[in-house]
Amino acid sequence: MSDKLKQIINKQSEQQNDISDQLDDVVQLVGFVIGDEEYAVPILAIQEIIKPFTWTRVPQVPTYILGVFNLRGAVIPLIDLRAKFGLQTKKQSDETRFIVMRDGDDVAGFVIDRLTMAIRIKKVNIGPAPDTVNGDDTIIDGVGKQEDKIITILKVNKLLERNF
Amino acid sequence: MDEFQEILQDFLVESFELVEKLDEDLVELENNPEDLELLNGIFRVAHTVKGASSFLNFDVLTHLTHHMEDVLNKARHGELVISPDVMDVILESIDLMKALLETIRDTSADAGIDVAECVLKLDKITNRSEEVKSSVVEAAPVVPIAQTKIIEEEITEEEAIHSEGEPDYDNMSPDDLEAEIEKLLQERQAEDRAKREAKIAAGESVLEAPPEPEEEVDSSLEPEPEPVVQAVAPTPAPVKQEEAKTEDAKAGAPAKRTPAAVEQTIRVDVKRLDHLMNLIGELVLAKNRLIKINDDVEERYEGEEFLEELNQVVSIVSLVTTDLQIAVMKTRMLPIGKVFNKFPRMIRDLSRELNKKIELEIAGEDTELDKSIVEEIGDPLVHIIRNSCDHGVEMPADRVSKGKEETGIIGLKAYNEGNQIVIQIDDDGQGLDTDMLKNKSLEKGIITEKEADNMSEKEAFGLIFKPGFSTAAAVTNVSGRGVGMDVVKTNIEKLNGIIDIDSELGVGTSMKLKIPLTLAIIQALLVGVQEEYYAIPLASVLETVRISKDEIYTVEGRSVMRLRDDVLSLVHIGDIFEVERILDSSEHAYVVVLGLGTSKLGLIVDTLVGQEEIVIKSLGDYLKGIEGVAGATIRGDGGVTLIVDVVALMQMAKDVKATPLNESSSATSISVEKTKASDYTVMIVDDSKTDRTIMRKALEPIGITLIEATDGQEALGILKAGEHNFDAMLVDIEMPRMDGYTLATEIKKYNKYKKLPLIAVTSRTGKSDRMRGVESGMVEYITKPYSADYLSSVVQRNVNFKAEFL
């Protein structure tokens, strides 16, 4: 048991060394799925990830804003990313999660279909957003290339920006 | 550097506090130029600021305050009479001092403001008074009034020096303190010498000295019985006294001498108080939750012994929480005098500018209000008082011809009334002319002719709060631009307050601002509509009435009802907040009568939940500005409930079209054409696995889709999720969490499921059970045990199963 523990600790410290070696050119992201696409946001923008629970509808807002919910005493807006991205709404499943993102003082919860994993990706492997969606208005920060797939990286500040 | 910053901060806070009181004192002084108490207080401010600023190397400020001090010093020695002209210069210098302090606050330096001109003026006064002084001294023995003044001053002098020093000492280094004492002693000796001569001359009039407050007793006792002795050797005694007192003051100061200065206070950062208030808010929420849990437990374990104990604890917790909340609220309270202070000066300036004679009477300045409200209330009050000066109080000549006193009086008073504070502004001016108000509004297109005709007096008064309204014939510097009063209204309403106007033509106008004591925690009425809840601030709720649907009439597309002798216009909360009507509304509805100033509105809701103390939370930047929603609160069950913004709601109600309450057609059940047996879906609700299996075995052969639920709650959840379109439900009666009857009742509340066949499958065979089943909406009643064929045939019949699928 203790040997195993040592191994793990060693492994971790090795990893940590790796990280510090290349801290500058590695971005840590959290990946999630909405519809058929995989998206990611910087891990530091995420305050927490929670299982779904009840929320309260708020009138006179676009349909993608489901309402507000109680996060340990704070009232936080809840946004359905499926609806925001123009997809059909889907019933929540066991894999549905709320991702609470924060940018400065702005906080909001986002409903996503499923989490994938924490991703380390080298900066050199992140390309700019495709030309067609370029401009200041896009919520796409860039496109991360991995061995077998590409991931759309989203701008958290744009997600948290009120545009209605 | 840090230390310097700290001292600077202290200096600024202290100076601003002192200056704040100054304006009021100065105006008071102009009316009572002989009030030495006041003069000393003012001198003290200049002196304190001078001392501290020189220590901090603010040369410009020191320069200015030094000259101010000179003038004031002359004045308090009776060598200078405070005439309006002198006062103008002093006020100007105080304004400069304020500007300098603000510059220091912003830039940590006092550069950029030219004080030379003002200093020159101050010097002029000082020099001019030199001449006056000599004449006063010479005239002293001859003019009795002057004598008394000097003696009176001599007595207060001593006190002045004490109190002058006291606030300073805490902030002084020992060296400075030493120097200060030294300086004071010298000053005093010099003054005493000067006074002695005068006093000897005026010895006989000592007894005429007006009785001073108690604190004067020991100092005035000495001179009274033996004025001559005192005059011979007065110096040592008072000095000793003074030294003793200084030390006393340092050591906590005995109450007998200067009770005001002993106030035990501590300066706390507002942020900390806000944090504390937030925590209390959390506690109030937790308390609400605890009460709710307690109620649930009481219901479930009725008669258990531990309930008593639990009850006690819960009530203690809720009691202490309430007390705690009040205590913290009190720490945030400030006397409204802080706001009132600036008005005497304003009135003075205004009356000079407008050539009117106006006097301000202030009462109730000790009334306390939450800090955040005190900060917000200032501007509206400025507007109202300006308005009273400009439009209310007439020119002196007009007043005289109307048989009124030449001087107009504006009363400003604050008092508590229940959970609210009332600020009342009265003037004895010309009053509001409703016809004139209506004509003006018609002219400006604010109202239509028809509206004008139907207007009550109160509503006509309310016109002055309309944007773009101004009654002043000419636009003056003071008012008449047509902005202001509407800003006043919005600002007051922002504080959840209301404005009430009363006026009588030719006699005067009275405005009452009613404002809640605090903003953070309020009493609210919780109402339900369909499956949603809303909180309505109780302060705006006048009453609630239960009505039946046929009491609602429609007039010109609006719902109205008769409430006693009035006609009340109604609006359904569901129309305001776009609530989907999924539940069937019952025969009865509740009307919450909302009142805001003079306007009333009936809000139709489905249920009244009750009164609760709620903590107002903001919806945050992302959702701010939603019309009709003032914020949100967290309920006992952890859910979020929106708080209704009554002001906005009244506005919105005007544009909302009434939808008929009895409408229930929208929810027609979606009947999809069945093409195969598995298109039929039936839910089996039973807590026993065996029973569910038996039912499944009986129904599987016909090929319909079966969904299982283990109790009422789960079944309701599945139904609400809407993933399946159920054609029938098989419901057991005895189930944990939610039994079959309750489930049936709940389901039947939804329009959508009105026609869904519910089949009871139970071992209960009593007649009353069957009756209950029917009452709750069950269509069939199958008793266990049953044969598989029987069950299958009952189900087939109820879902209209097409024979060809068999």
Side-chain angles (χ1 to χ4, degrees):
Chain A
M1 183 63 194
S2 65
D3 279 346
K4 217 174 179 180
L5 200 68
K6 250 180 213 159
Q7 269 179 10
I8 292 171
I9 292 170
N10 282 339
K11 213 172 169 185
Q12 273 182 349
S13 61
E14 268 170 40
Q15 268 179 358
Q16 239 144 32
N17 289 338
D18 280 355
I19 297 165
S20 50
D21 282 349
Q22 28 175 271
L23 202 59
D24 291 337
D25 45 342
V26 167
V27 181
Q28 287 197 69
L29 304 164
V30 170
F32 53 86
V33 172
I34 299 160
D36 300 325
E37 294 288 326
E38 186 168 2
Y39 298 90
V41 290
I43 203 162
L44 289 176
I46 294 179
Q47 183 181 320
E48 57 196 285
I49 298 171
I50 45 178
K51 289 196 172 176
F53 54 88
T54 54
W55 66 88
T56 302
R57 192 186 65 89
V58 173
Q60 296 153 21
V61 289
T63 45
Y64 62 81
I65 299 173
L66 296 177
V68 287
F69 68 106
N70 167 17
L71 184 74
R72 291 189 306 278
V75 177
I76 288 176
L78 184 64
I79 295 158
D80 187 353
L81 281 182
R82 281 188 78 94
K84 185 155 180 155
F85 293 166
L87 299 169
Q88 278 282 306
T89 45
K90 195 180 104 180
K91 285 289 146 200
Q92 295 187 359
S93 69
D94 283 351
E95 289 185 311
T96 307
R97 291 288 180 277
F98 293 175
I99 297 187
V100 181
M101 298 188 206
R102 177 182 284 276
D103 178 51
D105 285 338
D106 299 331
V107 190
F110 293 87
V111 184
I112 51 134
D113 289 350
R114 158 169 80 83
L115 275 174
T116 51
M117 56 179 165
I119 304 161
R120 267 175 216 289
I121 195 163
K122 284 195 181 131
K123 266 194 182 153
V124 289
N125 286 335
I126 299 178
D131 285 342
T132 45
V133 293
N134 241 337
D136 288 339
D137 286 342
T138 178
I139 61 167
I140 298 174
D141 200 18
V143 176
K145 299 177 197 85
Q146 281 191 310
E147 287 136 32
D148 50 346
K149 57 185 174 185
I150 58 168
I151 295 175
T152 310
I153 300 166
L154 301 174
K155 282 182 193 162
V156 174
N157 59 345
K158 280 285 172 193
L159 283 174
L160 290 169
E161 196 174 85
R162 169 181 169 140
N163 47 7
F164 56 90
Chain B
M1 188 61 197
D2 276 348
E3 202 172 299
F4 174 75
Q5 279 299 335
E6 216 168 278
I7 295 168
L8 183 61
Q9 280 309 319
D10 280 346
F11 163 68
L12 285 173
V13 170
E14 189 186 13
S15 305
F16 277 116
E17 265 171 24
L18 289 170
V19 169
E20 211 161 281
K21 226 188 142 286
L22 210 57
D23 270 339
E24 193 189 12
D25 286 351
L26 281 169
V27 175
E28 182 79 42
L29 184 72
E30 201 178 6
N31 299 331
N32 296 318
E34 326 234 316
D35 191 337
L36 275 154
E37 192 82 20
L38 272 173
L39 203 45
N40 280 322
I42 296 163
F43 171 77
R44 225 142 50 214
V45 174
H47 181 77
T48 309
V49 175
K50 184 189 107 173
S53 60
S54 67
F55 175 63
L56 290 166
N57 284 329
F58 294 128
D59 294 335
V60 185
L61 186 59
T62 317
H63 184 60
L64 176 71
T65 43
H66 176 75
H67 287 85
M68 277 168 69
E69 197 187 352
D70 278 353
V71 173
L72 291 167
N73 203 22
K74 286 257 154 59
R76 75 190 184 123
H77 290 166
E79 293 156 6
L80 176 71
V81 180
I82 304 279
S83 66
D85 291 336
V86 173
M87 189 51 86
D88 277 342
V89 178
I90 294 177
L91 287 175
E92 186 190 334
S93 66
I94 300 241
D95 285 341
L96 269 176
M97 185 164 111
K98 275 193 223 164
L100 278 168
L101 283 169
E102 270 158 27
T103 320
I104 291 171
R105 183 186 59 197
D106 298 337
T107 62
S108 296
D110 61 349
I113 292 178
D114 186 25
V115 296
E117 197 188 336
C118 187
V119 167
L120 219 68
K121 284 190 205 162
L122 287 169
D123 280 349
K124 232 192 223 161
I125 296 170
T126 325
N127 295 337
R128 194 174 35 178
S129 72
E130 286 301 325
E131 299 148 31
V132 182
K133 171 192 163 191
S134 47
S135 67
V136 166
V137 169
E138 272 168 21
V142 202
V143 188
I145 304 161
Q147 290 165 7
T148 353
K149 205 162 98 193
I150 289 167
I151 287 147
E152 183 187 323
E153 171 197 316
E154 208 261 344
I155 290 161
T156 28
E157 183 91 299
E158 209 172 81
E159 187 211 357
I161 289 170
H162 297 316
S163 31
E164 169 192 331
E166 272 155 24
D168 263 358
Y169 294 146
D170 290 16
N171 292 337
M172 274 188 181
S173 65
D175 283 347
D176 274 330
L177 189 68
E178 208 69 46
E180 188 73 5
I181 293 172
E182 190 70 27
K183 200 176 116 219
L184 289 172
L185 288 180
Q186 275 170 8
E187 253 172 45
R188 181 157 174 93
Q189 275 167 354
E191 278 156 18
D192 268 336
R193 232 170 287 132
K195 294 290 134 32
R196 220 175 306 150
E197 297 155 39
K199 202 197 255 168
I200 290 164
E204 70 281 359
S205 62
V206 164
L207 287 172
E208 286 169 31
E212 287 289 331
E214 289 166 294
E215 59 231 16
E216 273 313 308
V217 168
D218 32 4
S219 57
S220 52
L221 269 182
E222 276 179 67
E224 259 175 70
E226 295 279 341
V228 188
V229 177
Q230 164 79 359
V232 174
T235 335
V239 168
K240 228 190 252 163
Q241 221 177 27
E242 182 202 326
E243 262 175 353
K245 248 148 238 147
T246 319
E247 261 157 39
D248 275 353
K250 272 204 291 184
K256 61 151 192 162
R257 188 71 178 144
T258 45
V262 206
E263 231 178 298
Q264 295 271 331
T265 53
I266 196 171
R267 197 168 281 151
V268 181
D269 193 338
V270 179
K271 270 189 194 149
R272 290 194 191 178
L273 285 182
D274 285 343
H275 184 58
L276 197 57
M277 201 64 194
N278 282 341
L279 289 176
I280 301 277
E282 299 281 306
L283 194 60
V284 170
L285 293 176
K287 180 203 79 180
N288 286 347
R289 194 159 179 188
L290 194 61
I291 291 173
K292 191 176 148 51
I293 292 172
N294 185 41
D295 289 349
D296 289 352
V297 170
E298 232 170 20
E299 215 167 85
R300 200 176 303 178
Y301 300 98
E302 220 179 316
E304 296 266 352
E305 232 173 77
F306 75 91
L307 270 181
E308 181 83 1
E309 253 174 273
L310 184 66
N311 256 327
Q312 276 176 10
V313 176
V314 169
S315 57
I316 288 173
V317 168
S318 83
L319 208 74
V320 172
T321 311
T322 312
D323 284 355
L324 191 62
Q325 184 198 324
I326 293 169
V328 173
M329 243 166 69
K330 278 201 181 138
T331 59
R332 287 179 51 94
M333 297 283 211
L334 289 177
I336 194 149
K338 253 189 148 38
V339 182
F340 284 3
N341 278 349
K342 62 177 165 186
F343 294 128
R345 165 86 188 272
M346 198 182 89
I347 295 271
R348 176 193 181 272
D349 291 354
L350 277 178
S351 48
R352 285 202 126 202
E353 200 175 318
L354 297 165
N355 289 323
K356 292 181 180 178
K357 288 197 173 168
I358 306 171
E359 220 169 73
L360 182 69
E361 283 176 359
I362 293 181
E365 61 264 57
D366 292 336
T367 317
E368 291 189 323
L369 261 180
D370 191 89
K371 180 179 154 53
S372 50
I373 299 180
V374 169
E375 282 162 3
E376 295 286 326
I377 198 78
D379 285 347
L381 281 178
V382 168
H383 278 297
I384 294 177
I385 291 176
R386 278 184 170 198
N387 226 48
S388 297
C389 292
D390 202 22
H391 306 313
V393 178
E394 310 93 326
M395 298 303 283
D398 293 346
R399 289 184 68 88
V400 173
S401 68
K402 281 181 189 171
K404 290 185 187 177
E405 286 281 322
E406 198 183 18
T407 309
I409 291 174
I410 292 180
L412 181 60
K413 66 178 169 192
Y415 53 93
N416 283 306
E417 194 182 85
N419 230 353
Q420 289 181 320
I421 178 167
V422 182
I423 301 173
Q424 191 175 336
I425 304 105
D426 301 315
D427 69 62
D428 61 349
Q430 56 194 358
L432 291 170
D433 182 348
T434 49
D435 291 334
M436 193 266 285
L437 291 173
K438 283 183 194 173
N439 287 338
K440 275 271 176 187
S441 310
L442 277 172
E443 230 172 77
K444 304 206 169 181
I446 298 170
I447 53 166
T448 63
E449 204 128 345
K450 198 172 152 207
E451 281 175 312
D453 288 343
N454 293 331
M455 237 173 216
S456 70
E457 200 180 35
K458 285 253 175 190
E459 279 169 331
F461 292 154
L463 285 173
I464 63 167
F465 296 114
K466 295 273 185 209
F469 183 90
S470 177
T471 55
V475 173
T476 65
N477 201 12
V478 180
S479 56
R481 290 190 195 84
V483 284
M485 290 313 265
D486 61 315
V487 177
V488 168
K489 192 171 184 228
T490 25
N491 278 356
I492 297 294
E493 282 170 355
K494 238 193 273 168
L495 300 171
N496 283 329
I498 49 179
I499 307 184
D500 203 14
I501 312 182
D502 235 331
S503 181
E504 200 174 324
L505 198 56
V507 178
T509 308
S510 162
M511 275 196 211
K512 281 185 186 168
L513 315 183
K514 298 184 178 175
I515 298 155
L517 282 179
T518 178
L519 292 177
I521 298 176
I522 58 165
Q523 290 286 335
L525 176 70
L526 288 158
V527 298
V529 52
Q530 303 286 316
E531 291 179 297
E532 297 182 1
Y533 295 103
Y534 290 90
I536 305 172
L538 205 62
S540 331
V541 176
L542 299 178
E543 60 181 316
T544 56
V545 251
R546 182 168 184 261
I547 56 163
S548 86
K549 293 264 159 80
D550 43 350
E551 285 177 62
I552 300 173
Y553 303 96
T554 311
V555 178
E556 289 173 24
R558 291 176 182 284
S559 306
V560 292
M561 68 172 277
R562 184 175 281 279
L563 180 70
R564 289 182 287 275
D565 291 336
D566 284 334
V567 173
L568 182 70
S569 61
L570 298 175
V571 63
H572 198 287
I573 191 169
D575 292 333
I576 299 263
F577 293 126
E578 309 160 342
V579 182
E580 208 184 319
R581 302 244 169 110
I582 42 169
L583 295 174
D584 189 30
S585 41
S586 69
E587 250 321 281
H588 292 275
Y590 294 90
V591 172
V592 179
V593 184
L594 302 173
L596 200 73
T598 51
S599 42
K600 271 187 185 178
L601 176 74
L603 188 66
I604 306 172
V605 301
D606 291 348
T607 51
L608 296 178
V609 182
Q611 184 185 335
E612 209 168 279
E613 199 164 62
I614 59 165
V615 180
I616 301 179
K617 301 210 172 228
S618 127
L619 284 180
D621 271 354
Y622 193 85
L623 290 174
K624 70 168 174 234
I626 293 179
E627 220 187 332
V629 177
T633 187
I634 293 168
R635 295 276 309 285
D637 59 2
V640 178
T641 297
L642 299 182
I643 302 167
V644 173
D645 179 350
V646 176
V647 180
L649 188 122
M650 291 217 163
Q651 206 55 46
M652 291 163 81
K654 290 179 184 158
D655 309 324
V656 168
K657 261 193 256 127
T659 40
L661 275 172
N662 299 317
E663 170 204 47
S664 58
S665 53
S666 61
T668 42
S669 53
I670 320 118
S671 50
V672 188
E673 191 63 35
K674 313 283 185 194
T675 53
K676 51 186 185 297
S678 62
D679 281 347
Y680 293 95
T681 316
V682 171
M683 191 181 338
I684 300 170
V685 193
D686 201 313
D687 57 323
S688 147
K689 181 89 172 63
T690 324
D691 281 343
R692 290 203 302 272
T693 316
I694 293 171
M695 282 189 251
R696 182 173 276 278
K697 285 271 182 312
L699 295 174
E700 257 171 357
I702 54 172
I704 58 176
T705 310
L706 296 169
I707 308 286
E708 291 181 21
T710 57
D711 62 44
Q713 288 259 306
E714 194 186 332
L716 206 59
I718 294 173
L719 205 60
K720 270 203 238 170
E723 268 176 78
H724 307 278
N725 265 322
F726 290 103
D727 297 287
M729 283 175 82
L730 293 166
V731 183
D732 183 22
I733 299 300
E734 291 282 350
M735 284 183 295
R737 292 216 291 174
M738 186 189 278
D739 66 18
Y741 298 132
T742 323
L743 174 62
T745 319
E746 283 294 315
I747 291 172
K748 290 297 169 192
K749 277 187 189 164
Y750 291 82
N751 286 326
K752 215 163 135 188
Y753 303 119
K754 270 267 130 72
K755 298 204 176 84
L756 179 67
L758 303 178
I759 305 161
V761 185
T762 176
S763 47
R764 286 197 180 188
T765 53
K767 257 202 176 137
S768 60
D769 294 324
R770 298 204 119 189
M771 278 311 294
R772 265 197 82 184
V774 174
E775 271 166 20
S776 56
M778 309 270 196
V779 290
E780 299 268 359
Y781 204 88
I782 301 174
T783 45
K784 298 174 190 172
Y786 47 84
S787 74
D789 286 345
Y790 177 62
L791 183 73
S792 171
S793 68
V794 170
V795 170
Q796 284 181 40
R797 188 172 67 235
N798 276 293
V799 301
N800 293 323
F801 196 72
K802 288 183 189 160
E804 64 256 37
F805 297 143
L806 274 174

